Amino acid sequence: VGHELSHAVDNKGRHVDAAGNLRDWWTPADTAAWDSRVIRVGSQYDGYAYPGLNGVRVNGRLTREENAADIAGIELAQDAFINAQPGALEPARQAFYQSWARLWAQQSSVDAATLMASTDLHAPGQWRTNGPLVNQPGFGQAFSCNDGNAMQLKAVDQISIWR
């Protein structure tokens, strides 16, 4: 739900104002701030190998708006979880992130993966799971990940959309 809600105020949603009129309601500063975030998102995902394909990487430029929505979605869901269960213990926090991961299970043939790698606006399931999570301090805390390892980027390298 958070993923879809974020589209209301992203690079496409910005073209429909609160009254439903087609117009760009962002300021130049809003545009610059968004662009700086999604450029970083694109660069991050460019570094991910495409599952099932040798020598192919995720096209971060093609997928960056949807990747940003995935990051925003997990941020919003995490905030809702924390507000609903502020004293949640580690098993509950881990279950929250495991539920996120279960959303994106995916297996593709080489032919399907080859087509998706060049046309799909979404990253493959592995990176729809792990890409947003490496940017979430709460994930690192729930699973005791050290900053800078494969599942927890250093704080300075983490990308956030709403925080």
Side-chain angles (χ1 to χ4, degrees):
V1 171
H3 170 106
E4 297 305 333
L5 284 172
S6 74
H7 285 311
V9 292
D10 69 4
N11 199 38
K12 291 185 180 97
R14 76 188 239 192
H15 296 288
V16 180
D17 69 15
N21 298 313
L22 292 176
R23 71 176 186 87
D24 186 349
W25 51 271
W26 281 8
T27 67
D30 293 334
T31 301
W34 180 261
D35 289 346
S36 71
R37 283 193 167 107
V38 296
I39 286 169
R40 289 184 63 212
V41 170
S43 295
Q44 179 181 325
Y45 282 74
D46 278 341
Y48 296 146
Y50 207 96
L53 300 177
N54 292 326
V56 177
R57 299 220 171 268
V58 173
N59 182 338
R61 183 170 173 80
L62 176 66
T63 62
R64 68 186 181 189
E65 296 291 335
E66 291 298 326
N67 299 334
D70 284 343
I71 294 169
I74 193 70
E75 287 176 351
L76 292 171
Q78 180 187 29
D79 287 348
F81 173 72
I82 289 168
N83 285 326
Q85 297 190 24
L89 299 176
E90 186 174 284
R93 292 183 291 129
Q94 289 178 347
F96 169 81
Y97 292 109
Q98 290 165 343
S99 296
W100 170 262
R102 286 185 190 101
L103 291 172
W104 308 118
Q106 181 180 18
Q107 184 70 29
S108 300
S109 69
V110 171
D111 290 342
T114 300
L115 177 63
M116 289 187 300
S118 62
T119 62
D120 196 348
L121 298 178
H122 298 88
Q126 174 182 353
W127 300 117
R128 291 195 77 181
T129 299
N130 293 348
L133 294 182
V134 301
N135 291 295
Q136 302 304 310
F139 174 81
Q141 293 163 1
F143 289 95
S144 301
C145 299
N146 296 322
D147 281 357
N149 78 13
M151 285 306 298
Q152 184 72 91
L153 295 175
K154 293 177 184 173
V156 69
D157 295 327
Q158 290 176 0
I159 302 167
S160 68
I161 302 301
W162 301 118
R163 297 185 183 150

